[in-house]
Amino acid sequence: MPTMPLRAGGPAARIAVIPGDGIGKEVTPEAVRVLRAATARSGRSIEFVEFDWGADKYLREGITLPAGAVEMLRDEFDAILFGALGDPRVPTNQHAADILLGLRFKLDLYVNARPVELLHDRLTPLRDRTERDIRLTVFRENTEGLYVGVGGFFKKGTGDEIAVQEDVNSRKGVERIIRYAFDYAERNKLRRVCMSDKSNAMTFAHDLWQRVFKEVRQEFPGIESRHLYIDTLAMELVRDPSQFDVIVTCNLFGDIISDLGAQLAGGLGLAPSGNIHPGKTSLFEPVHGSAPNIAGKGIANPLGSILTAAMLLDFLGWEPEARITREAVKSALFNNYLTSDLGGDRSTNEVGTWLTEFVAQRTKI
Ligand SMILES: NC(=O)c1ccc[n+]([C@@H]2O[C@H](COP(=O)([O-])OP(=O)(O)OC[C@H]3O[C@@H](n4cnc5c(N)ncnc54)[C@H](O)[C@@H]3O)[C@@H](O)[C@H]2O)c1
C-alpha cells in the first residue's frame, strides 16, 4: 500500500544512507542497488552519501550522532535510508538511542507509517485469509508518549526502589498524527480509520486522544471513524484484519500493534516503515532490528529494506519507480526466490541481485 507522495516529485534527490549495525549493513546495500536500478533508466538522478554511524564508530571513537549531523541531514538531504542499530557489545544501546531516537525527535518525524500488506496468501499464519483481507496501515505517533525519556529512579538498587516513566501527550502532537491518518485515508480513497487508545484506564492522557479524535473526525465526514481500546484492537486484528484500512495510535501501542501486523503479513523480514514529517527530510527503515543472531551469515532477508526503499520513492513522489520496486518484491515471492526465513535457500545478495535485475529490465525509459 503506497504512502502518499509528500514531495513534488522533482528530477533529482539526495539520500543519506545509514546502514548501522548487524544485518543493517547487509540489507541496506541491496536496497541501494535496487534504488539505483529503478532510477537509472527513468531519467531521474539519485545521489547516495553513506554515513558509518553505529556501534563500531561508537566503540572506536565514542561518537554516536556527530555534532551538526541533524542540521546537515535537514538542510542537505531529501531523505534518509536507514538499516538498524543494536550491538551486543553496547549493552546500554546508547548509540541507538542517540542516533535513531535522536533523529526521530530532532527532525520532528512525528508520523511512523507502518504498512501491513499481505503480498502472498501463503505468508500469513491466519487460516483462510487472502491478500484482500490484510491491507492496512498503522500510523504510530513518533515523537511523544512513553518514549520521550522523562522519568527517574528513587532509591535505585534498594528493595524500596521506585521507577517512574512519564507518558507525554501534547494537544499539538495528538492532533497532527490523527489528522495525518484521516488525510492519508482520504487521499488514498480508504473508507475506515480506527483510533486506538486505553482511555478507560489512562484517564488523563487518553482522554486527550478521545477529545481530539472526536474533533478531527468532524473534518472528514466521508470517512467511517471508529474507536477501539488497544486490547480489543489486538484481538480484532487477529480475528478479522479485513475490517481495518487505517489505524492511528500512540507511540507505545503503535510499536506493539505494528509488530503484530507485520507477523500477519509474513514476518519482520518483510515489514517496511517510514518516519515522516510531511515536506521535510524523513527517515525510512525496515521494522526489524540488527538481528545479531544471524548477522554476518549473508542470510538476512533484504525484502523489508527494499519495500522500505519503495516507501522512500513514494515520499519523493516517484510513483513509477515505487511501483516497479514493489512488483519486483512480489515477483520474488511468487517465484520463491527467497531467503530462509521465508522458506527459500537464497542469500541476501542473491535476492538483491535478482530484484535489481528485475527492476533494471522492467523500468521504462
Ligand atoms: N529500528 C531499529 O534499529 C531496531 C528495531 C528493533 C530492534 N533493534 C535492535 O536490534 C537488536 C536485536 O533485536 P531483536 O532480536 O529483538 O529484533 P530483530 O528484529 O533484530 O530480530 C528478531 C528476530 O527476527 C529475525 N529477523 C529480523 N530481521 C530479519 C531479516 N531481515 N531476515 C531474517 N530474519 C530476521 C532475527 O534473526 C531474530 O530471530 C537489539 O539491539 C535491538 O535493540 C533495532
Side-chain angles (χ1 to χ4, degrees), residues 53-217:
W53 306 338
D56 286 341
K57 187 179 179 73
Y58 177 56
L59 292 168
R60 206 173 52 237
E61 303 167 28
I63 293 173
T64 55
L65 191 61
V70 174
E71 296 73 16
M72 175 199 59
L73 292 170
R74 189 188 58 207
D75 298 340
E76 298 174 23
F77 290 90
D78 297 291
I80 303 158
L81 180 66
F82 191 89
L85 286 172
D87 188 303
R89 295 170 299 164
V90 188
T92 59
N93 237 1
Q94 187 58 46
H95 68 304
D98 286 1
I99 298 170
L100 185 55
L101 292 182
L103 289 177
R104 282 182 187 165
F105 288 131
K106 290 178 185 158
L107 292 170
D108 198 23
L109 305 175
Y110 68 90
V111 180
N112 193 330
R114 295 187 165 192
V116 174
E117 187 175 6
L118 183 60
L119 296 174
H120 194 296
D121 294 353
R122 77 178 152 77
L123 294 172
T124 183
L126 300 184
R127 199 176 52 228
D128 301 332
R129 290 291 172 190
T130 69
E131 291 165 43
R132 273 198 314 257
D133 297 320
I134 304 177
R135 200 174 158 76
L136 59 102
T137 302
V138 177
F139 291 110
R140 161 189 174 190
E141 201 294 319
N142 210 28
T143 50
E144 302 193 340
L146 279 156
Y147 291 64
V148 295
V150 175
F153 298 106
F154 182 53
K155 299 185 181 175
K156 189 175 180 185
T158 73
D160 294 325
E161 178 165 351
I162 294 171
V164 175
Q165 193 91 35
E166 298 289 350
D167 185 16
V168 174
N169 296 261
S170 73
R171 163 87 207 192
K172 179 181 143 194
V174 175
E175 188 174 329
R176 65 185 181 174
I177 188 67
I178 291 179
R179 182 167 287 110
Y180 185 95
F182 274 102
D183 202 30
Y184 174 87
E186 192 169 73
R187 285 178 194 229
N188 286 283
K189 300 187 172 41
L190 300 168
R191 280 189 301 118
R192 302 162 299 184
V193 171
C194 174
M195 190 280 277
S196 187
D197 64 19
K198 190 68 185 163
S199 46
N200 50 347
M202 297 172 67
T203 51
F204 306 114
H206 288 184
D207 181 74
L208 176 63
W209 279 77
Q210 283 286 323
R211 283 182 281 123
V212 173
F213 178 59
K214 283 175 188 149
E215 264 179 52
V216 174
R217 72 178 178 189

